[in-house]
Amino acid sequence: MKAKVIVMPKQSILDPQGVAVRDAMRHHGLPGVKSARVGKVIELELDGTTEAQLHEIARDMLSNPVVEDYTIQIQS
Amino acid sequence: MKAKVIVMPKQSILDPQGVAVRDAMRHHGLPGVKSARVGKVIELELDGTTEAQLHEIARDMLSNPVVEDYTIQIQS
């Protein structure tokens, strides 16, 4: 099974890295950039793992639920 | 327009962060994890930007083409 775990800062949380990217893009000739948010993506290849186990590990290990949300995309 | 830029380490490049995640998941009770790779995702909201401009900025600013590949997903 292939799965992607995408971890993004929560909408209500200030994302300084995203603000830096947005400002750099504006200075780089793209004034139309309204917002940028920077997160992590973890691509996994796994066998014998249930979706419930994947949610558990995404919540407990791969993200910080206080400031981040995760989504899981299972590919095959 | 909403777009996602996903930046991953090239397949041929060792990804120490991914190896650490894989080993941690194995020790956390998921022995079936075969590989993990960790990359970045940048979620953008932009107006008046062409796909060509987006590719340029993804190559020049958001990724390091020596060790990373990027993909662009345009959502609307």
Side-chain angles (χ1 to χ4, degrees):
Chain A
M1 169 166 96
K2 283 191 182 194
K4 265 187 199 179
V5 180
I6 296 173
V7 180
M8 296 298 297
K10 279 185 200 281
Q11 281 299 335
S12 54
I13 300 280
L14 185 69
D15 173 20
Q17 200 182 353
V19 172
V21 167
R22 187 197 63 193
D23 292 350
M25 287 177 81
R26 285 181 180 168
H27 283 109
H28 218 267
L30 292 180
V33 180
K34 285 195 283 187
S35 81
R37 297 185 79 77
V38 180
K40 282 179 297 190
V41 52
I42 300 116
E43 278 186 5
L44 298 168
E45 264 181 67
L46 13 76
D47 280 335
T49 307
T50 65
E51 203 172 329
Q53 283 177 310
L54 206 53
H55 275 280
E56 195 183 318
I57 214 100
R59 193 189 59 226
D60 294 348
M61 212 187 74
L62 300 175
S63 70
N64 175 356
V66 178
V67 292
E68 291 170 331
D69 288 322
Y70 70 86
T71 51
I72 292 178
Q73 294 171 359
I74 291 179
Q75 277 155 325
S76 58
Chain B
M1 170 165 94
K2 282 191 182 195
K4 266 188 199 179
V5 180
I6 296 173
V7 179
M8 296 299 297
K10 281 185 199 280
Q11 281 299 334
S12 54
I13 300 278
L14 184 70
D15 173 21
Q17 201 182 353
V19 172
V21 167
R22 187 197 65 192
D23 293 349
M25 288 177 80
R26 285 181 180 168
H27 284 108
H28 219 265
L30 292 179
V33 180
K34 285 195 282 186
S35 80
R37 297 185 79 77
V38 181
K40 283 179 297 189
V41 51
I42 301 116
E43 279 186 5
L44 298 167
E45 264 181 67
L46 11 75
D47 280 335
T49 307
T50 66
E51 203 172 329
Q53 282 178 309
L54 207 52
H55 275 279
E56 195 183 317
I57 214 100
R59 194 189 58 228
D60 294 349
M61 212 187 75
L62 300 176
S63 70
N64 176 356
V66 178
V67 291
E68 292 170 331
D69 288 322
Y70 71 86
T71 51
I72 292 178
Q73 293 171 358
I74 292 179
Q75 278 155 323
S76 59

